[in-house]
Coordinates of all heavy atoms in Angstrom, one line a residue:
Q6 N -14.5 -5.8 2.3 CA -15.8 -5.8 3.0 C -15.6 -5.6 4.5 O -14.9 -6.3 5.2 CB -16.6 -7.1 2.7 CG -17.9 -7.1 3.4 CD -18.7 -8.4 3.1 OE1 -18.2 -9.3 2.4 NE2 -19.8 -8.6 3.7
L45 N 8.1 8.1 13.8 CA 9.5 8.3 14.0 C 10.1 9.6 13.5 O 11.3 9.9 13.5 CB 10.3 7.1 13.3 CG 10.0 5.7 13.7 CD1 10.8 4.7 12.9 CD2 10.2 5.5 15.2
A73 N -3.0 -9.3 -18.5 CA -2.2 -10.0 -19.5 C -0.9 -10.5 -18.9 O -0.3 -9.9 -18.0 CB -1.9 -9.1 -20.7
I120 N 0.6 5.4 7.5 CA 1.9 6.0 7.8 C 1.9 6.8 9.1 O 2.8 6.7 9.9 CB 2.3 6.9 6.6 CG1 2.5 6.1 5.3 CG2 3.6 7.7 6.9 CD1 2.7 6.9 4.1
S125 N 3.0 -1.0 13.4 CA 4.4 -1.3 13.4 C 5.1 -0.8 12.2 O 4.4 -0.6 11.1 CB 4.7 -2.8 13.7 OG 4.1 -3.6 12.7
H127 N 8.7 -1.7 9.8 CA 9.7 -2.7 9.7 C 10.7 -2.4 8.6 O 10.4 -1.6 7.7 CB 9.0 -4.1 9.3 CG 8.0 -4.6 10.3 ND1 8.3 -5.4 11.3 CD2 6.7 -4.3 10.4 CE1 7.3 -5.7 12.0 NE2 6.3 -5.0 11.5
S149 N -8.1 -10.2 4.0 CA -6.7 -9.9 4.4 C -6.8 -8.5 5.1 O -7.0 -7.5 4.5 CB -5.8 -9.7 3.2 OG -5.7 -10.9 2.4
D159 N 14.2 8.9 -1.2 CA 14.5 9.6 -2.4 C 15.5 10.7 -2.0 O 15.2 11.7 -1.3 CB 13.2 10.3 -3.0 CG 13.5 10.9 -4.3 OD1 14.4 11.7 -4.5 OD2 12.7 10.6 -5.3
V173 N -2.4 -8.1 3.1 CA -2.0 -9.4 3.4 C -2.7 -10.0 4.6 O -3.3 -9.3 5.4 CB -0.5 -9.5 3.6 CG1 0.3 -9.0 2.4 CG2 -0.1 -8.7 4.9
L178 N 2.7 -12.0 6.8 CA 3.5 -10.9 7.2 C 5.0 -11.2 7.3 O 5.9 -10.3 6.9 CB 3.0 -10.4 8.6 CG 1.8 -9.5 8.6 CD1 1.3 -9.3 10.1 CD2 2.0 -8.2 7.9
S200 N -1.9 -12.9 16.7 CA -1.9 -14.1 17.5 C -0.4 -14.4 17.9 O -0.2 -14.9 18.9 CB -2.5 -15.2 16.8 OG -1.9 -15.5 15.6
P204 N 8.5 -9.6 16.4 CA 9.6 -9.1 17.3 C 9.7 -7.6 17.2 O 9.3 -7.0 16.2 CB 10.8 -9.8 16.8 CG 10.6 -10.1 15.4 CD 9.1 -10.4 15.3

Side-chain angles (χ1 to χ4, degrees):
Q6 181 179 356
L45 298 180
I120 296 171
S125 57
H127 302 266
S149 301
D159 187 309
V173 298
L178 281 173
S200 58

